[in-house]
Amino acid sequence: MTISYNQIFLKVYSILFAQKVGEDDYGNIYYVDKSKTPTNNFRERRWIIYNGIVEASKVPQEWNAWLHHVTKNIPKNKIIKDKINNLYSTWKPNDKK
C-alpha cells in the first residue's frame, strides 16, 4: 500500500492541530478542528482518516451524519457483533409463549 504526500500531510496535521473525537468499529478515526471559517460556512471542520483502503461505504450511518453536520452529537461506539450474537443465542425455535 502506498501513501501519497497528501495522506501523510493530513495524518501529521490531524495529530498536531486537530482533536480526535472518536473511532468506529472499522478502526476509522474521526477528527474535528474547532476554528470556524467562512469557507466552511462558519462551521467546524470534521474529517475521517480511514483504516486501510479509503472506502466511503465503511463509514457507519451515525458517523456519516456527524461528518455532514446533520447532528452535533458525537456517536458512541456500538459493537454490532455482540448484539447479533446475543440475538441468536437467546432465541430458540421451539419457544412457546
Side-chain angles (χ1 to χ4, degrees), residues 42-60:
F42 297 101
R43 298 181 296 187
E44 59 189 15
R45 290 185 60 215
R46 301 173 179 177
W47 67 91
I48 179 175
I49 294 185
Y50 292 95
N51 181 19
I53 299 173
V54 176
E55 178 59 43
S57 64
K58 292 187 345 183
V59 178

Side-chain angles (χ1 to χ4, degrees), residues 34-78:
K34 298 286 185 178
S35 62
K36 299 176 182 178
T37 60
T39 56
N40 200 25
N41 294 327
F42 297 101
R43 298 181 296 187
E44 59 189 15
R45 290 185 60 215
R46 301 173 179 177
W47 67 91
I48 179 175
I49 294 185
Y50 292 95
N51 181 19
I53 299 173
V54 176
E55 178 59 43
S57 64
K58 292 187 345 183
V59 178
Q61 294 176 354
E62 298 88 11
W63 283 105
N64 190 27
W66 179 81
L67 281 170
H68 290 93
H69 298 279
V70 175
T71 181
K72 291 183 180 181
N73 301 332
I74 298 171
K76 305 287 186 231
N77 284 346
K78 297 179 183 176

